[in-house]
């Protein structure tokens, strides 16, 4: 599903050049759950941004489901992301004046799509949000808000779910609960998942751990 070859990302200013990603090659199979770990500043988030087509590599190749997407124009990247990629971030990014249901279907409506009510209902049930659909985000716990963020990402039927520290703002027990739900929905909806985490215990729940230091893969 994901294949990157000799990927590099260099950030340049007039005074300094910083290599964030240094010759990384990686494959992620369809349906696989991969955790990416490493110290702060090692290039994890930069890699996830490239995988999410939010940024382009300086050099190297990125194949998404067999198509080279790393050097597409922004308009092409935006179109390719639709239906392919879903995002879950540490900050829930929910719209406070919208209900849970309105937050979940918002990305579909912004793209002018039609909401698949049956599918959204399955996602809501899988995440245990049936009784919270008319609530506002401010009326929910942190764990419930993260479930809504996951439901919103799943609602667009992405083939790949990219998660950046999705349990970083949650306590240990809630983190385990949220991760268990992500694994359940990943299997249920046949999704590939790539997750950044600093939490070793959380990472151990994945199929494979990729460790990055100084922009390079050092173990997996």
């Amino acid at each position: 599903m994901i294949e990157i070859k000799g990927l590099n990302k260099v950030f340049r200013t007039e005074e300094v050049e910083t290599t964030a990603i240094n010759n990384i090659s990686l494959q992620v199979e369809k349906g696989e759950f991969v955790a990416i770990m490493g110290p702060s500043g090692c290039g994890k988030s930069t890699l996830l941004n490239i995988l999410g087509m939010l940024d382009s590599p300086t050099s190297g190749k990125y194949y998404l489901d067999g198509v080279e997407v790393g050097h597409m124009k922004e308009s092409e990247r935006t179109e390719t992301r639709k239906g392919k990629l879903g995002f879950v971030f540490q900050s829930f990014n929910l719209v406070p004046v919208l209900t849970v249901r309105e937050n979940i279907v918002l990305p579909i409506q912004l793209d002018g799509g039609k909401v698949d009510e049956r599918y959204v209902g399955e996602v809501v049930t899988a995440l245990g949000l049936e009784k919270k659909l008319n609530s506002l985000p401010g009326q929910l716990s942190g764990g419930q808000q993260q479930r809504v963020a996951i439901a919103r990402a799943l609602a667009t039927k992405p083939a790949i779910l990219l998660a950046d520290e999705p349990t970083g703002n949650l306590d240990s027990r809630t983190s385990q609960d949220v991760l268990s739900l992500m694994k359940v929905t990943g299997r249920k909806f046949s999704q590939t998942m790539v997750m950044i985490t600093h939490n070793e215990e959380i990472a151990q729940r994945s199929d494979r751990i990729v460790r990055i230091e100084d922009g390079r893969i050092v173990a997996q």
Side-chain angles (χ1 to χ4, degrees):
M1 183 60 74
I2 290 174
E3 183 176 14
I4 56 179
K5 297 180 177 180
L7 206 71
N8 295 280
K9 180 63 178 182
V10 180
F11 294 101
R12 295 185 177 92
T13 67
E14 292 182 1
E15 299 178 350
V16 71
E17 180 176 289
T18 303
T19 300
I21 299 294
N22 192 348
N23 195 34
I24 282 182
S25 295
L26 177 70
Q27 289 183 327
V28 180
E29 302 300 327
K30 184 176 181 179
E32 190 177 14
F33 179 17
V34 174
I36 299 177
M37 296 196 73
S40 297
C42 71
K44 302 186 303 297
S45 293
T46 299
L47 177 59
L48 200 74
N49 284 340
I50 291 174
L51 294 181
M53 302 177 69
L54 301 174
D55 201 356
S56 298
T58 304
S59 61
K61 299 289 186 180
Y62 171 25
Y63 296 92
L64 179 63
D65 203 12
V67 178
E68 208 288 308
V69 299
H71 301 283
M72 283 181 169
K73 297 177 181 178
E74 176 57 32
S75 58
E76 295 174 315
R77 293 207 306 264
T78 299
E79 196 61 34
T80 303
R81 278 196 299 266
K82 293 179 183 178
K84 285 281 189 184
L85 300 169
F87 300 89
V88 180
F89 300 102
Q90 181 174 345
S91 53
F92 313 129
N93 294 331
L94 301 179
V95 180
V97 297
L98 298 182
T99 66
V100 165
R101 187 190 182 282
E102 290 168 339
N103 268 284
I104 291 171
V105 302
L106 182 62
I108 302 171
Q109 295 174 334
L110 289 176
D111 283 339
K114 183 178 180 181
V115 176
D116 184 335
E117 296 292 352
R118 181 176 178 179
Y119 172 76
V120 170
E122 288 182 21
V123 170
V124 166
T125 299
L127 291 167
L129 292 169
E130 308 99 306
K131 297 180 180 180
K132 300 294 182 180
L133 290 177
N134 294 318
S135 300
L136 295 174
Q139 298 171 313
L140 306 179
S141 68
Q144 289 169 334
Q145 289 186 56
Q146 189 59 291
R147 292 187 198 186
V148 177
I150 294 168
R152 181 182 56 193
L154 293 174
T156 58
K157 300 182 181 179
I160 300 169
L161 192 64
L162 302 175
D164 191 353
E165 296 283 1
T167 61
N169 284 326
L170 307 176
D171 60 56
S172 179
R173 181 175 178 178
T174 305
S175 295
Q176 292 290 348
D177 290 344
V178 167
L179 186 67
S180 294
L181 287 167
M182 287 179 67
K183 292 188 70 172
V184 167
T185 55
R187 288 194 298 268
K188 182 177 178 65
F189 303 115
S190 302
Q191 284 164 324
T192 304
M193 291 196 292
V194 180
M195 175 184 68
I196 286 177
T197 182
H198 282 98
N199 188 317
E200 186 76 36
E201 188 177 356
I202 293 292
Q204 292 292 341
R205 302 281 297 275
S206 67
D207 299 323
R208 177 162 51 113
I209 300 175
V210 176
R211 300 184 189 275
I212 296 179
E213 291 181 12
D214 299 324
R216 294 178 178 270
I217 293 177
V218 294
Q220 59 177 308

